Amino acid sequence: MNLRLVAAAAAFAVATGTQASAHHSVEGAFEPTKRMQLTGVISKVQWTNPHIYLYLDVKDGANVTTWELETIPTAAMRRAGVTMKMLMGGGQTVVVDAYPARDGTKNLAFILRVTYPDGHSYQLYNNPDATR
Amino acid sequence: MTRQHFWNGSATALVVIGVLWMLTHATSAQTPAAAAGTKSEAAASTPKMPDGKPDLNGTWDNGRSTFGFAANAGNVTTCVFGCQPFGQGGGAAAGPRPGPGRPVYKPEFVSKVKMLDDQQVKLDPALYCKPPGLPRIGPPDKIVQTPGQVVFLYDDLSGAFFRIVPTDGRRHRADVDPTYLGDSVGHWEGDTLVIEATNFNDDSWLGDNGLFHTTNLKVTERLRRTGNTIAYTVTVEDPAVLAAPWAMRPRTLSLTDQELIEPAPCVEKSLEHVLDGTHHDNAR
């Protein structure tokens, strides 16, 4: 069963403005009204359950801040065919749309979408374009 | 939970999985398919084992055990999660599915369920990587069947689990301690495999919503293969706390030619950031 989903599906989500599961603690820990965008290089993927974590090195002048970015479980990623290597992005600069932590923890966020330099992206939670 | 305990359990389970994988490939009468994915439900007759019993061998897609093929280049968005409606377009298959339903408790235990439900984020053992227990773990991801036994393999959020179910007429073991998945024995009623599990500890819930149970829990599963699907039903009895036996929402498992892989370790570090106690639904 090929689980590839192309832009049409994302367009559908945008058009309907639909959300992911509402009865879920993502919004208990992360703030959906403060959507943010980060640009950096993924330095590590922690392939664990119940959440995968991406570590994003974000440059600010000479300083580099590493963000801990939480996302969905491995089975969900695997079912869509997204691997650890694909998430890493080969050291390229990526753009991450995310929700910041509600409790004020610095440099912690939940991923909505990761976009790579050639334009391909993985929507991993609510469509960020639909929640603007 | 102690992490060492978890790792020891996972390591043991993975060794067993490896051995059983080889065993399956040596004994299964099933023909492997060339292409990846769930097999056509319409394809068919129900294969039988040499002993005449239905052949349950295989990896069974219950919504968490298949692989997809996402785009890795070009101007393409792959919607992995958060797509609506769930299940359409393929990439949204990881979205929530209907829950298992919930049992009816005796009146004197309703307030306890509510208390646990209200504090699920703090008190649900499975959210902290403990074994989900039976029946919460859901249907098996893979079944290995040999004459006289079936083995269930699970790829769960909490790790790898297995159950060895004798079908040769033996009784429940009396020499083992209570566990999360209990002690199982099976028998055939016609073409239906019936499994009775007892000897549980009480450190798991029946579901996400404070559904506690006692050590008197008894779980009866029925598996009936038709063509390339298995109808999986579960009845839960715990007369000390439940007002009546609970029939969980039936599940249909689809045969797939994909194979299980080593599950990722369970490392919980998110719940400390949850501020409002919202539930963490986790349908398996």
Side-chain angles (χ1 to χ4, degrees):
Chain A
M1 177 169 53
N2 191 328
L3 297 180
R4 180 175 297 174
L5 179 62
V6 292
F12 176 83
V14 171
T16 56
T18 49
Q19 302 288 305
S21 169
H23 197 57
H24 191 281
S25 70
V26 169
E27 285 77 13
F30 299 94
E31 183 51 66
T33 65
K34 296 180 180 175
R35 192 174 62 77
M36 58 189 302
Q37 196 168 70
L38 298 163
T39 300
V41 173
I42 297 172
S43 56
K44 177 183 173 185
V45 175
Q46 181 184 302
W47 195 257
T48 52
N49 284 315
H51 299 284
I52 296 168
Y53 289 86
L54 272 59
Y55 293 87
L56 186 75
D57 290 344
V58 178
K59 277 188 179 177
D60 181 11
N63 299 320
V64 176
T65 302
T66 300
W67 281 73
E68 184 175 49
L69 303 174
E70 182 175 313
T71 183
I72 56 180
T74 59
M77 207 71 82
R78 190 178 66 205
R79 192 169 178 86
V82 179
T83 65
M84 188 187 310
K85 184 178 179 182
M86 290 161 73
L87 285 174
M88 281 292 290
Q92 301 176 93
T93 298
V94 303
V95 176
V96 177
D97 293 280
Y99 294 154
R102 282 182 63 187
D103 65 0
T105 300
K106 288 185 177 178
N107 309 321
L108 173 67
F110 193 90
I111 301 173
L112 303 179
R113 184 174 63 197
V114 184
T115 304
Y116 297 81
D118 70 351
H120 84 277
S121 63
Y122 303 125
Q123 183 188 324
L124 304 180
Y125 198 58
N126 295 338
N127 186 325
D129 296 327
T131 57
R132 263 181 210 283
Chain B
M1 138 192 189
T2 63
R3 193 66 62 197
Q4 188 62 46
H5 172 77
F6 168 75
W7 282 110
N8 286 345
S10 291
T12 302
L14 290 170
V15 168
V16 171
I17 286 172
V19 171
L20 292 173
W21 185 89
M22 291 185 283
L23 187 62
T24 302
H25 284 66
T27 59
S28 173
Q30 209 163 273
T31 303
T38 303
K39 296 185 177 183
S40 167
E41 294 178 12
S45 60
T46 303
K48 302 278 187 172
M49 296 288 282
D51 64 2
K53 304 301 183 190
D55 184 353
L56 304 183
N57 280 299
T59 305
W60 296 92
D61 180 17
N62 56 41
R64 67 186 177 202
S65 54
T66 57
F67 298 79
F69 304 93
N72 193 27
N75 191 21
V76 174
T77 293
T78 297
C79 188
V80 178
F81 197 94
C83 323
Q84 290 279 5
F86 290 103
Q88 290 196 2
R97 53 177 170 264
R102 56 185 300 149
V104 176
Y105 282 80
K106 291 181 175 179
E108 60 268 38
F109 297 109
V110 170
S111 61
K112 178 175 179 179
V113 172
K114 184 177 185 309
M115 180 275 291
L116 295 172
D117 188 16
D118 289 345
Q119 300 186 67
Q120 187 204 355
V121 169
K122 291 182 179 176
L123 299 178
D124 184 348
L127 292 189
Y128 292 89
C129 298
K130 280 194 174 182
L134 190 70
R136 192 180 185 186
I137 196 169
D141 294 291
K142 185 179 180 73
I143 299 175
V144 179
Q145 181 180 0
T146 60
Q149 74 172 7
V150 293
V151 177
F152 286 180
L153 304 178
Y154 300 89
D155 172 2
D156 187 79
L157 282 172
S158 291
F161 296 94
F162 67 92
R163 293 165 63 204
I164 296 172
V165 184
T167 57
D168 59 0
R170 75 182 70 179
R171 297 183 175 183
H172 284 289
R173 295 180 64 167
D175 60 342
V176 290
D177 291 325
T179 58
Y180 291 89
L181 297 174
D183 179 66
S184 297
V185 292
H187 66 276
W188 292 90
E189 293 181 1
D191 284 344
T192 301
L193 175 62
V194 181
I195 301 172
E196 178 189 277
T198 58
N199 199 19
F200 293 96
N201 65 32
D202 58 0
D203 194 30
S204 63
W205 290 3
L206 301 173
D208 288 330
N209 306 115
L211 308 180
F212 76 100
H213 64 80
T214 74
T215 56
N216 295 320
L217 175 67
K218 175 182 167 185
V219 178
T220 304
E221 299 159 284
R222 287 181 168 78
L223 294 89
R224 184 180 178 89
R225 176 171 181 172
T226 303
N228 287 332
T229 64
I230 288 177
Y232 176 80
T233 63
V234 179
T235 302
V236 176
E237 298 170 79
D238 193 348
V241 293
L242 299 185
W246 172 40
M248 294 179 66
R249 181 180 63 85
R251 302 278 288 271
T252 300
L253 319 181
S254 300
L255 184 64
T256 171
D257 49 23
Q258 298 181 4
E259 191 50 274
L260 296 187
I261 60 173
E262 178 181 344
C266 186
V267 181
E268 166 49 47
K269 55 183 183 181
S270 177
L271 296 174
E272 65 180 289
H273 300 290
V274 176
L275 295 183
D276 61 3
T278 52
H279 288 204
H280 196 297
D281 276 5
N282 200 5
R284 283 173 158 89

